[in-house]
Structures are given as structure tokens and as C-alpha cells.
Amino acid sequence: MRLLTRYVIVGNGAAGTACAEELRKNDPSSQVILFTDEPYPLYNRVSLRHYLKGEIPERKVFVRDIPWHEKYGIDFRPETPVVALDAAGHTVTTARGEKIAYDRLLIATGGTPTPLAVPSGDARGVMYLQTMRDARLLEDVLPAARHAVVVGGSYLAYNFADIFRHWGLATTWLIRGPAFLRRDLDVTAGALADTLAAEAGVQVIHGEEVAAVQVDDGRVRAVTTTGGRTIAADLVGAGIGLTMNLGFARGQVEIHRGVVVDASLRTSSPDIFAAGDVAEFPEPITGALMLAGTWDNAAAQGRLAARNMMGGHDTYQNIPEHNTDFFASQITVMGITPDVRTDLESVARLDDTGRNYRRLFFWEDRLVGAVLIGNRKGKLKLLQMIRDKLPITGPREALLDPEALS
Ligand SMILES: Cc1cc2nc3c(=O)[nH]c(=O)nc-3n(C[C@H](O)[C@H](O)[C@H](O)COP(=O)(O)OP(=O)(O)OC[C@H]3O[C@@H](n4cnc5c(N)ncnc54)[C@H](O)[C@@H]3O)c2cc1C
């Protein structure tokens, strides 16, 4: 019989590793077992792009090493996929055939890039960017490449576009919808995003998808599109979404688009929690279920899950926020947008320079979300208003003026 509480964590990304650290700091007599199917300790996926652009060395991508786990007494198990979960029996089974009992379990398994499901979509030269392994594969092929096609309308696709143009590749970006981040940006903002891409040397084509990848002599040569074009490509960067890694948990906890949790990050099974990209949680603004794909969210949820796994009763209150450069500009998306719920109203404005855009989202009488491109003045004020949940009594358009906010 075990005397110590045993915490098992599946996935050692930002969420899983933060959870392990928090558990060991606050419950030093417990056992913490941290599984990952990857060979590495925690590394920063956000940094992969900067590594591939030569802005940081590989060692800077890694944020934890093996001695760190030893120092904290975390039983780190790399290259050990968890393949089954028995919630009633409180056990997980690994691909090595071990059955491990737990008292509390965290699912923090993130997602895997959705594959490009077209003829020859699995050819060498069709690239993904989620793991260090993906980055190393890309690093090997970038120097010889001349032409690239990017597929997808979200941040992952932007990563490819930015890397490819940094390497001087002639880059065409296929976006199926009418705009980059089509649920967050309207047509005006989408046109601004296209202009920013074009100024960086990336040509954006909307409304077309890859119909097939053309391969010659085992190598990618071109893509044909659903619009009938043939575009030269040595590399295809596929950024068409993530499929959550939750197969091992099916039938054991409630699953929708991710692993469904309540505000305390507890799943439908009381001793199982979920955090990070894989967790579908009630956002704290209107309570709608959402998936969040950010580093800060994953780490904060990992820490909060740890506190609740130790018996706490905290609820997740962080306002979702994503900040990124976008070619020569920057984009912030905060709070909730039509990506999370479709019944929002919005007001938007592009300023006189045509370079700065903002769109604000309202639910009932409250400000609940915002998109800022370019000038981010007043961002903290908007964030505070979202957090405060107070009724907006004046004209909504007044909030579009950055000077009035600051
Ligand atoms: C290229 C790129 C750029 C990004 N840019 C930004 C950005 O600018 N800003 C931002 O905030 N966020 C960004 N993100 C998103 C951010 O990196 C993620 O939201 C965050 O890393 C998610 O952490 P996580 O712990 O939830 O999951 P992950 O980091 O995905 O970790 C999950 C781990 O679990 C492992 N695993 C899966 N299944 C199993 C299993 N059955 N058994 C064992 N292990 C398993 C996975 O292999 C993985 O190692 C970016 C992501 C990528 C890929």
C-alpha cells in the first residue's frame, strides 16, 4: 500500500511542467510522475520560430533540463506515451506496458497538427511546426528551398510565413477563409493583414485550398489549388489546426473539442484534472466553453490545477490574451471573440493611416473582447474593462479612440 499521495501528469509542456513544479513546492512529501512521449524536458514552442530564424540558439529554446527535475524530485519519464486511462481503477497504462496507479491525475497533452489530407499530402517537404523534432526537420531543408506555400488562416500558418520569408523563399500563403483569423478580424482588418504580408513579400490568396501536392523524384515540387492554380513549392508549411491528444482518455472523462473541465479545471471524473491546450474550460467572462492555445494560459492552468489537485478550490479567472508580432506590425487578441461565442456584437475602426485597427466585442451590455492591430495604446484599460464586467453606458464607438482610453 502506498503511503504518499501520488500525482501523475501526462504531458510535460508548459501546463504539465508548471503543475509538477507547483505540486513539489507545496506538497514535498508527495510523489510526482511526469510522462511525455517526447524525448525532451520542457522547451518553449513559442521560441521555435525565433530559433529557426536564427534569432536565438537552440539551448535557449529549452527552459528545463533533467537536473532540474532531479532537484525538484520529479520522476520524469520521457519517451513514455500514456496509452490508456482507467478512471474507475485510478490507473494509467504506458506504451511500455506499465500500469501506474494515481491518486490525482492531470491531462496536459496538448495537440498534434492536423495533417494535410490531400493527395501526396504526406510527401517529404510537407512540414509541420509543433515540436522540436519538426523544427529540426525544417532546419535541415530550409537552406536549399526556394519556393514555399503556406496553408492555414491562423497563428501557426503565420509562423511558417514569417520563417519562409526570413529565409528569402518566394512564399504564397493560401487562406481558405476571407481573412486571417477570420472569426476575429472583419474584411477591413483582413485586408490590412494581407497588406502587411505583401509588404513583407508574402502573397496571400484567399478562398483556395491545396487540392494536391505535386511530387517529382520523391520531392515536393508544387501544389495545385482548388482554384486551379499550380504554385511552385519546395516546401509546404501546413498550419491548419490542432487535433487534441486525448485518445487515451476517451470514454473515461467528458470530451467535446477538448477535455471538458469546470472552472477549477476538474474533469467529469473527480480525481482527474486537465490544463493547457487540451482543456476545454469555461472562460471567466461569460462562462462559454473555450480552448485556449497560449503559453501563459497553459502555465497558469498547470499551476492552478496543481493547487486544486492538492485539495484547493481555486477557479480559473485569467482573461485570455494572445499577443504576437505580425510581419512589421503586431496583433493582440484578448477576452473573447466570435471564435468563442457567435452571439457577440462588435464595433471596429481603421485609423486614418490605414495601419492601426481595433475591433471591440460586446455581449449584453459589457465589453468582452478586443482585437488590436498596430497601435496598442489603451490595451490595459480595455483589459481592465473586460475584467470588471461593468455595463457600458456611453457610445461603444468612443472606446475605439486610443487617446480617450489612456
Ligand atoms: C510554432 C508555435 C508558435 C506558438 N506561438 C505562440 C505565441 O506566440 N504565443 C503563445 O502564447 N503561444 C504560442 N504557441 C502556443 C503555445 O506554445 C501552447 O499553447 C503551449 O505550448 C501549450 O502547452 P501545453 O502544456 O498545453 O501543451 P504542449 O506544449 O503541447 O505539451 C503537451 C505534451 O504532451 C505530450 N503528449 C501528448 N500525448 C501524450 C501521451 N498520450 N502520453 C505522453 N505524452 C503525451 C506531447 O507530445 C507534448 O510534449 C505556439 C505554438 C507553436 C507550436
Side-chain angles (χ1 to χ4, degrees), residues 48 63 110 122 130 151 167 175 181 183 197 226 231 253 263 291-292 307-308 348 369 395:
L48 293 176
V63 283
D122 57 353
Q130 181 69 16
V151 197
W167 279 81
I175 299 181
L181 302 181
R183 293 193 192 86
T226 48
I231 307 170
V253 291
L291 295 165
R307 294 197 291 279
N308 291 341

Side-chain angles (χ1 to χ4, degrees), residues 9-18 34-50 52 77 79-84 93-95 107-113 128-131 134 155-160 163 242 244-249 275-279 292-299 301-302 321-325:
I9 300 170
V10 191
N12 77 326
T17 304
L34 178 58
F35 288 108
T36 177
D37 55 4
E38 290 195 69
Y40 321 103
L42 176 67
Y43 59 93
N44 190 342
R45 297 182 202 281
V46 183
S47 302
L48 293 176
R49 170 164 62 106
H50 305 290
L52 286 166
R77 311 268 184 103
E79 296 183 277
T80 313
V82 167
V83 293
T93 304
T94 72
I107 300 173
T109 42
T112 300
Y128 298 91
L129 185 56
Q130 181 69 16
T131 63
D134 294 335
Y155 300 112
L156 271 179
Y158 167 66
N159 274 256
F160 277 114
I163 293 163
L242 283 186
M244 294 306 151
N245 299 321
L246 39 67
F248 71 98
D277 284 9
V278 78
T294 67
W295 181 269
D296 289 351
N297 170 74
Q301 287 196 343
E321 184 176 345
H322 189 274
N323 298 290
T324 179
D325 58 278

Side-chain angles (χ1 to χ4, degrees), residues 376-395:
R376 291 198 251 194
K377 203 167 182 180
K379 181 186 124 173
L380 291 180
K381 181 80 191 267
L382 292 170
L383 196 58
Q384 192 58 45
M385 292 172 76
I386 296 169
R387 195 174 284 128
D388 288 346
K389 302 182 183 177
L390 295 175
I392 305 294
T393 47

Side-chain angles (χ1 to χ4, degrees), residues 284-285 316-321 334-336 368 383 386-387:
I285 306 166
Y316 192 65
Q317 296 298 333
N318 296 23
I319 304 293
E321 184 176 345
M334 55 192 188
I336 59 166
V368 294
L383 196 58
I386 296 169
R387 195 174 284 128

